[in-house]
Amino acid sequence: MEELHGRFYKALSGPDVDQIASVSWLQFADLFVETEGFVSAIMDEVNKTRNYRKHIMKDGTLDICRAFHRPGDSLRHIVSGCYHLANGEYLHTHNQVARIVHQQLALRFGLIDFEMPY
């Protein structure tokens, strides 16, 4: 069986990784233990996606993306590779964040006088 737990820990040993900054959230984020465990599971890619169920649990689940109905329902696919989500949800979230950044820059440089709630 493929080793799952510890992927994040192994990734920390990369030559371009700031190890202290990469784990400082564990000390300063003030998270519940359950939340910290969930975030760690995400970083180790051990969430119960269809890919995980098919290849790790071997329960006969089809590895089909729920949104795009094509093979590959892994965590990486959901986070960055799903064409359907990239053109919908991800784009919407990106635009919302860009709107906030744009507004803060406009306030800082005196281009607008008031802050619209987001």
Side-chain angles (χ1 to χ4, degrees):
M1 179 186 291
E2 177 184 356
E3 184 179 326
L4 294 174
H5 299 283
R7 286 184 181 179
F8 176 67
Y9 180 76
K10 288 177 188 168
L12 287 175
S13 62
D16 57 342
V17 176
D18 182 340
Q19 293 178 351
I20 295 171
S22 296
V23 296
S24 65
W25 65 273
L26 288 167
Q27 185 176 5
F28 301 112
D30 195 30
L31 299 174
F32 288 113
V33 175
E34 295 84 1
T35 306
E36 183 179 314
F38 184 67
V39 171
S40 296
I42 290 171
M43 291 187 300
D44 276 344
E45 298 179 40
V46 293
N47 295 78
K48 206 174 194 180
T49 61
R50 290 181 179 177
N51 180 275
Y52 180 87
R53 289 177 59 193
K54 177 182 180 181
H55 297 287
I56 304 304
M57 296 175 68
K58 301 190 186 305
D59 69 357
T61 300
L62 291 176
D63 182 16
I64 303 293
C65 173
R66 295 174 179 117
F68 199 49
H69 306 292
R70 299 256 169 98
D73 187 44
S74 65
L75 189 61
R76 288 181 191 214
H77 168 78
I78 293 167
V79 171
S80 64
C82 182
Y83 176 79
H84 181 76
L85 292 173
N87 285 327
E89 292 299 318
Y90 298 159
L91 181 61
H92 175 72
T93 302
H94 171 273
N95 290 343
Q96 292 289 79
V97 171
R99 198 172 287 131
I100 294 167
V101 171
H102 179 267
Q103 178 175 257
Q104 293 302 310
L105 288 170
L107 282 168
R108 179 178 291 172
F109 293 106
L111 300 173
I112 60 175
D113 296 326
F114 60 95
E115 183 173 352
M116 293 285 291
Y118 48 84

